[in-house]
Amino acid sequence: MASSFKDDPDYLGPISATPQKMVETMLSMAGVTSTDVVFDLGCNDARVLVTAASTAGARGVGVEIDEAAVNKARAKVRLHICIRRRRSSFRGRRC
């Protein structure tokens, strides 16, 4: 008989991203500002961190154990940094 994920002691449950509308509502309710550092445990694609940075200017720290999600998050953060650099006419390293 084939084993299922329920039998795997390392299975942590399904991975799903928080909907963007919910992210915006959470950050608004929390009153996140540019002086805050947002910590996101299980950050998945880093949407909470990127939204906090882009809407409030907050800094962020993401923690993720899924390697594919880490790669997505890093790409999303790099893109966000590139966009911010272009908006502020930053003359630095190319994105």
Side-chain angles (χ1 to χ4, degrees), residues 1-18:
M1 181 165 134
S3 65
S4 70
F5 66 87
K6 295 176 187 173
D7 300 325
D8 183 355
D10 294 326
Y11 180 72
L12 300 175
I15 296 173
S16 63
T18 305

Side-chain angles (χ1 to χ4, degrees), residues 29-50:
M29 290 177 72
V32 174
T33 68
S34 61
T35 61
D36 292 319
V37 178
V38 175
F39 286 82
D40 188 3
L41 305 179
C43 68
N44 195 356
D45 65 354
R47 74 180 57 198
V48 172
L49 302 173
V50 169

Side-chain angles (χ1 to χ4, degrees), residues 20 23-25 27 32 46-58 76 80:
Q20 185 62 35
V23 169
E24 292 165 7
T25 301
L27 293 171
V32 174
R47 74 180 57 198
V48 172
L49 302 173
V50 169
T51 303
S54 63
T55 61
K76 191 173 217 172
H80 172 72

